Amino acid sequence: GDIAVFTQLLRVPKGDRSYITTDVLLALDGTDKPEELLYVITSPPQYGQIEYVNYPGILITSFSQMDVARQIVCYIHKAKAVVREDTFR
């Protein structure tokens, strides 16, 4: 079926981390099974990394919508300088 993906800007101070929440990233497919909606990072962020909160320092390449809903995924800003923008796909 159709999948709708909603995104918002996530602000992360230099050297800090911010949780990726459903306010920032939300995918819906009408099945009410968020654990089956999987995000696969095909182009990682340039100035930071995505990781699980409980495993700091370990880069992840995929996570589920349920992980986002449980607030266990975060973006870590790793650049030494202030960066205006970073993206991942």
Side-chain angles (χ1 to χ4, degrees):
D2 293 331
I3 297 175
V5 179
F6 304 93
T7 61
Q8 292 291 324
L9 185 66
L10 176 66
R11 295 196 185 278
V12 184
K14 180 177 80 168
D16 206 353
R17 73 178 183 182
S18 288
Y19 293 93
I20 299 173
T21 66
T22 55
D23 292 338
V24 173
L25 181 61
L26 178 63
L28 303 169
D29 70 351
T31 66
D32 291 329
K33 294 184 179 181
E35 67 278 4
E36 293 181 5
L37 289 171
L38 186 66
Y39 296 98
V40 177
I41 300 171
T42 58
S43 178
Q46 184 177 358
Y47 303 106
Q49 70 183 37
I50 308 299
E51 58 186 50
Y52 284 115
V53 174
N54 292 336
Y55 299 96
I58 300 175
L59 169 82
I60 60 173
T61 57
S62 65
F63 56 93
S64 73
Q65 183 63 51
M66 181 61 85
D67 294 336
V68 173
R70 291 173 42 210
Q71 297 184 5
I72 62 171
V73 178
C74 62
Y75 171 89
I76 307 297
H77 187 296
K78 298 183 78 103
K80 302 266 187 238
V82 174
V83 177
R84 261 190 82 78
E85 179 177 296
D86 198 2
T87 61
F88 68 95
R89 293 180 190 254

